[in-house]
Amino acid sequence: MNTPEFLRKLETELKIAKNSNYTIRNYVKANQDLLEFSKKSPENIDENDVKLYLADNLSDQSSSSIVVFLSAIRYAHTIILKKDPTVGVKRPKREKRIPTVLSKTETKQLLESTHTKKSKLMLSLLYACGFRVSELVNIKVQDLNFEEKIGYVRQAKGRKDRVFNIPSFLFDDLREQTEKQKSINQIYLFSGANTKLSSRNIQKIVHRAAKKAGIKKEVHPHTLRHSFATHLLENGTDIRKIQELLGHADLSTTQIYTHISTE
């Protein structure tokens, strides 16, 4: 089996299993990178090839990056070739890192440093609802119910739907954005040139705003989600309520914010 055929089969299997576009892209790329590095056909990839690739390309990466890479190789080879070239490769322990969080003042400065009204609305939603960036870009016009003042996150991480309250201070702007998208026959709440925005688009907006605001911390879209949870905790919100708002399956995931809160 040649490399293009192998990668096509992998993509097909991932789609059948209802994996996210993000997972599909990462798993296909990991396998493609390994095959290009080893210069072997998929059937001939072995444990030594995997270890050499890790040593040459991922030795300075985080544990989670290595674990994702090994998962991608294992998935592809067990599903398609019925063998596992990663079986003898030791998985590193995941690092436990405290995420970067913005203060309330920094959050305000970031939002005020966006270049357009649309950009400010997107970042405000990330913060006010604790969205993952993938959740934001996938919200559709039909997911907002202005009569009941709620919205729906469809098939988020873990293939779960959840409900969120439309923030009152964003209500009018969101309704205006919704009507604008309807008028140009767009199904997504936010779109670019005839297509929905990508996570990369949002990352660029955040980085540009953080630089303009003079924030020295390393800021990503997920930083706003971390800040949302931490600020709720500092305001006395019950941690189980925060778990529900974030869509965490396990409370232990939410408890990381107890190590960040200044309260």
Side-chain angles (χ1 to χ4, degrees), residues 47 50-51 54 63 66-67 70 85-93:
E47 180 182 311
V50 176
K51 288 181 175 178
L54 290 174
S63 294
I66 295 172
V67 169
L70 291 173
T86 75
V87 69
V89 182
K90 186 175 176 61
R91 269 66 171 169
K93 290 184 178 179

Side-chain angles (χ1 to χ4, degrees), residues 118 121-122 136-137 139-142 144 173-197:
K118 178 182 170 184
L121 179 58
M122 289 190 291
L136 177 73
V137 299
I139 292 177
K140 296 180 179 178
V141 169
Q142 66 184 29
L144 297 177
D173 288 340
L174 278 173
R175 185 151 56 183
E176 181 183 330
Q177 176 67 17
T178 299
E179 293 305 317
K180 177 183 174 184
Q181 293 298 88
K182 285 180 178 177
S183 70
I184 55 175
N185 297 316
Q186 290 288 338
I187 63 172
Y188 290 99
L189 180 61
F190 298 107
S191 60
N194 299 317
T195 182
K196 72 173 181 178
L197 293 177

Side-chain angles (χ1 to χ4, degrees), residues 6 35 44 77 90 173 240 243 249 257:
F6 179 77
L35 289 165
N44 294 323
H77 285 259
K90 186 175 176 61
D173 288 340
R240 291 190 181 278
Q243 176 192 4
Y257 299 109

Side-chain angles (χ1 to χ4, degrees), residues 15-219:
K15 287 180 177 178
I16 291 171
K18 294 289 186 180
N19 284 282
S20 67
N21 291 333
Y22 179 80
T23 298
I24 294 171
R25 183 176 70 246
N26 284 348
Y27 273 38
V28 170
K29 186 178 187 307
N31 280 277
Q32 183 176 15
D33 289 346
L34 176 61
L35 289 165
E36 289 176 355
F37 172 82
S38 66
K39 296 181 172 58
K40 289 184 177 180
S41 64
E43 296 96 329
N44 294 323
I45 292 291
D46 58 28
E47 180 182 311
N48 193 50
D49 296 315
V50 176
K51 288 181 175 178
L52 285 173
Y53 182 88
L54 290 174
D56 284 8
N57 296 279
L58 295 179
S59 59
D60 60 345
Q61 297 294 308
S62 67
S63 294
S64 59
S65 296
I66 295 172
V67 169
V68 169
F69 172 81
L70 291 173
S71 296
I73 304 305
R74 180 180 184 276
Y75 182 92
H77 285 259
T78 53
I79 290 289
I80 300 171
L81 300 175
K82 312 305 179 188
K83 67 172 189 173
D84 181 8
T86 75
V87 69
V89 182
K90 186 175 176 61
R91 269 66 171 169
K93 290 184 178 179
R94 289 184 182 269
E95 302 102 334
K96 294 183 178 179
R97 296 180 179 177
I98 295 177
T100 300
V101 168
L102 300 177
S103 67
K104 291 175 183 176
T105 299
E106 287 172 330
T107 303
K108 184 177 180 181
Q109 291 171 340
L110 180 76
L111 297 177
E112 290 178 347
S113 297
T114 51
H115 285 66
T116 66
K117 183 178 179 181
K118 178 182 170 184
S119 294
K120 184 176 183 179
L121 179 58
M122 289 190 291
L123 300 200
S124 296
L125 264 180
L126 283 175
Y127 173 67
C129 297
F131 288 147
R132 300 176 179 92
V133 66
S134 59
E135 294 169 350
L136 177 73
V137 299
N138 283 303
I139 292 177
K140 296 180 179 178
V141 169
Q142 66 184 29
D143 292 332
L144 297 177
N145 184 331
F146 289 100
E147 287 187 10
E148 296 187 20
K149 298 183 179 179
I150 60 173
Y152 298 90
V153 174
R154 307 287 186 185
Q155 296 296 284
K157 191 173 181 180
R159 292 287 167 186
K160 293 176 296 189
D161 292 351
R162 74 174 188 274
V163 179
F164 66 90
N165 294 318
I166 296 176
S168 57
F169 75 101
L170 296 177
F171 190 89
D172 291 339
D173 288 340
L174 278 173
R175 185 151 56 183
E176 181 183 330
Q177 176 67 17
T178 299
E179 293 305 317
K180 177 183 174 184
Q181 293 298 88
K182 285 180 178 177
S183 70
I184 55 175
N185 297 316
Q186 290 288 338
I187 63 172
Y188 290 99
L189 180 61
F190 298 107
S191 60
N194 299 317
T195 182
K196 72 173 181 178
L197 293 177
S198 69
S199 297
R200 185 65 182 152
N201 294 138
I202 309 298
Q203 289 169 0
K204 288 179 180 178
I205 292 169
V206 171
H207 291 161
R208 194 182 302 127
K211 184 176 181 180
K212 184 178 178 183
I215 298 171
K216 302 303 180 184
K217 297 173 181 175
E218 191 171 346
V219 184

Side-chain angles (χ1 to χ4, degrees), residues 245-262:
L245 291 172
L246 292 174
H248 284 162
D250 195 323
L251 183 62
S252 63
T253 308
T254 318
Q255 285 175 330
I256 183 65
Y257 299 109
T258 63
H259 300 290
I260 307 171
S261 172
T262 57

